[in-house]
Amino acid sequence: MTTTIKACIFDLDGVIVDTAVYHYKAWKRLANELGFDFTEHQNEQLKGVSRTRSLELILGWGGVTKTAEEQVELATRKNNWYVEMINQMTPAEILPGAKEFLEACRNTGLKTALGSASKNSMTILNKVGIANLFDAIVDGNHVTTPKPDPEVFLKGAEALGVAPAECVVFEDAIAGVQAAKNGGMKAVGIGSPDVLTEADLVVSGLDKVTIETIKEL
Ligand code: B16
Ligand code: MG
């Protein structure tokens, strides 16, 4: 039996915009202040991962131990640098096809939601000028359990008033694709099919997907 798709839920970093580059710069600056460095390759492991967990991973790479209180201070320091950078973002930084695909969803009656781990998603959406293209926004401020737990996407579906099986999630992170599948949703991976093996379909970007393809999933 095929289920009608009624909504699309989008991850933010890596799907709508590439904020990973700003996260990397800010985390790298923090690591450097602590006396070590990490590579762009290691940074891949931080994509889609919460701020707290990212810090734990980075401290582990540097072999540095910090108290819970110190970790809060370090995460805040990093976030302040990150916010300085995202405050400079412009609409030119929207990834190819993202705005057009969001508009196409709305024009064909599909509901749209954001489902991001970031606590800064509103700042980013406002800076790039597309906050008005989402019917619901669920982000790191609203969830208690990180991806691959489906909480963020289930809350998105609930806010839109649609069943999980009627949703397609767009995700660039393995844990995000798993979260969608764990929630009983369809998943479109943005990236490489070799990496996002659990997705129902993998494309290189939202410029490579059409509403017709989504409805046939
Ligand atoms: P913040 P997404 C994620 O965004 C990023 O990929 C990840 O690198 C970041 O640590 C996380 O947001 C939390 O972001 O520090 O702004 O709360 O891919 O879930 O949209
Ligand atoms: Mg992402």
Side-chain angles (χ1 to χ4, degrees), residues 11-15 47-48 147 171-173:
D11 175 52
L12 181 59
D13 177 26
V15 174
K47 290 188 178 176
K147 303 167 189 176
E171 254 291 349
D172 70 314

Side-chain angles (χ1 to χ4, degrees), residues 196-209:
L196 303 171
T197 53
E198 292 175 47
D200 296 288
L201 167 76
V202 181
V203 290
S204 59
L206 288 176
D207 55 339
K208 298 290 189 306
V209 75

Side-chain angles (χ1 to χ4, degrees), residues 11-14 23 27 46-51 54 78-79 82 115-120 147 171-172:
D11 175 52
L12 181 59
D13 177 26
H23 282 296
W27 282 129
L46 307 179
K47 290 188 178 176
V49 173
S50 74
R51 195 183 309 167
S54 298
K78 177 267 174 180
N79 192 58
Y82 177 68
S116 166
S118 176
K119 293 185 174 174
N120 295 297
K147 303 167 189 176
E171 254 291 349
D172 70 314

Side-chain angles (χ1 to χ4, degrees), residues 32-195:
N32 292 169
E33 283 195 1
L34 294 171
F36 66 95
D37 205 357
F38 65 94
T39 64
E40 228 163 312
H41 180 72
Q42 282 172 304
N43 186 60
E44 288 298 308
Q45 294 178 46
L46 307 179
K47 290 188 178 176
V49 173
S50 74
R51 195 183 309 167
T52 316
R53 180 70 191 132
S54 298
L55 178 64
E56 283 169 6
L57 286 167
I58 292 165
L59 292 177
W61 295 334
V64 172
T65 310
K66 295 284 175 189
T67 65
E69 231 170 77
E70 287 167 335
Q71 288 189 28
V72 170
E73 190 278 317
L74 292 172
T76 306
R77 209 191 302 173
K78 177 267 174 180
N79 192 58
N80 290 341
W81 294 325
Y82 177 68
V83 169
E84 264 173 39
M85 287 185 275
I86 58 171
N87 270 327
Q88 308 300 316
M89 287 180 82
T90 69
E93 289 180 70
I94 300 172
L95 288 172
K99 187 173 183 187
E100 292 76 7
F101 189 73
L102 279 158
E103 287 169 343
C105 285
R106 297 169 70 88
N107 290 339
T108 50
L110 290 173
K111 294 206 158 129
T112 56
L114 187 82
S116 166
S118 176
K119 293 185 174 174
N120 295 297
S121 70
M122 274 322 297
T123 304
I124 297 165
L125 292 180
N126 284 328
K127 282 289 164 189
V128 302
I130 54 169
N132 62 326
L133 295 179
F134 294 91
D135 297 304
I137 289 175
V138 183
D139 70 11
N141 298 296
H142 311 109
V143 296
T144 49
T145 324
K147 303 167 189 176
D149 187 280
E151 183 185 5
V152 66
F153 297 138
L154 292 178
K155 283 198 167 150
E158 197 187 343
L160 296 175
V162 298
E166 297 167 333
C167 297
V168 181
V169 168
F170 296 82
E171 254 291 349
D172 70 314
I174 297 171
V177 168
Q178 287 169 342
K181 300 310 293 178
N182 288 340
M185 300 173 176
K186 293 273 189 289
V188 173
I190 306 290
S192 157
D194 298 336
V195 178

